[in-house]
Amino acid sequence: MEFSQLLLERYSVRKFTNQPIESDKLDKLSDTLIKAPSSKASYPCHFYLVKDKLLIDKLSQCKPHGAAFLKDAPLVVVITADPAVSDVWIEDASIATTFLMLEVVNLELGGCWVQVRNRFYDETISSSQYVKNTLSIDESLEVLALYGVGYHIEFKEFRSNDNYSPVSIIG
């Protein structure tokens, strides 16, 4: 697929069919995450591809709003990184997630990002800690986001926003 077409076809998908994601597509998603660049080649990120429905159901409860749709996703990718390895772990993890988003579209799947960093499960525990507890993730890692992946129930047309122009050319 042409890159410009890939960008046009990417949108947030929160409703999935029950169809599991094939192992060759899981391999391609994993390979894409591994190929994402990292500042100073520090590679602070670690990714968890969760297929277990009970764990996915628990992950869908990681914060009061915005994660419930995950319960119907056949795959949830947990994006983590180690702040001790890189002071720009947030940027590195975000870049890897962007690569993941584009590969999801390229594989004719859909997905949606769930913000976890700086969010809370309840008044006593952060969403990041809740996810780490749920999956027994090492305490040295921080959870940036979850990304639900699956086959679309419905497709949307690209919506143009002609009134939005954040790009300025100088010189």
Side-chain angles (χ1 to χ4, degrees):
M1 184 182 302
E2 293 266 340
F3 187 70
S4 59
Q5 187 63 33
L6 192 69
L7 296 176
L8 289 175
E9 293 188 19
R10 197 225 59 80
Y11 61 90
S12 295
V13 173
R14 294 178 183 86
K15 294 182 181 180
F16 307 100
T17 68
N18 292 329
Q19 181 179 349
I21 298 170
E22 299 84 351
S23 61
D24 64 313
K25 289 187 178 187
L26 291 173
D27 291 343
K28 287 179 182 176
L29 293 173
S30 297
D31 192 47
T32 296
L33 288 165
I34 292 167
K35 290 179 178 171
S38 170
S39 176
K40 302 177 189 173
S42 59
Y43 302 104
C45 299
H46 190 91
F47 312 97
Y48 299 85
L49 278 62
V50 182
K51 300 187 315 178
D52 181 280
K53 290 307 285 179
L54 292 174
L55 289 174
I56 289 173
D57 186 58
K58 289 180 181 179
L59 292 173
S60 75
Q61 301 168 43
C62 71
K63 61 184 194 173
H65 305 288
F69 77 91
L70 292 174
K71 71 181 178 322
D72 297 322
L75 174 69
V76 173
V77 180
V78 180
I79 299 100
T80 74
D82 188 340
V85 172
S86 175
D87 64 335
V88 292
W89 69 271
I90 296 168
E91 292 84 348
D92 283 352
S94 297
I95 291 167
T97 306
T98 302
F99 273 47
L100 172 67
M101 289 177 175
L102 295 174
E103 185 64 66
V104 162
V105 175
N106 190 50
L107 295 172
E108 299 180 350
L109 298 166
C112 187
W113 164 297
V114 174
Q115 176 68 26
V116 172
R117 189 181 76 81
N118 290 341
R119 300 298 183 263
F120 291 89
Y121 170 73
D122 63 22
E123 293 177 4
T124 64
I125 185 171
S126 70
S127 295
S128 178
Q129 191 61 54
Y130 175 86
V131 171
K132 289 193 284 188
N133 293 347
T134 299
L135 299 179
S136 300
I137 294 173
D138 190 278
E139 282 300 316
S140 65
L141 299 176
E142 288 299 327
V143 181
L144 177 76
L146 307 179
Y147 195 76
V149 181
Y151 284 93
H152 306 241
I153 282 183
E154 60 188 18
F155 290 87
K156 296 180 184 176
E157 291 288 324
F158 172 72
R159 293 180 301 187
S160 175
N161 185 349
D162 295 330
N163 297 325
Y164 178 66
S165 181
V167 178
S168 299
I169 300 174
I170 301 172

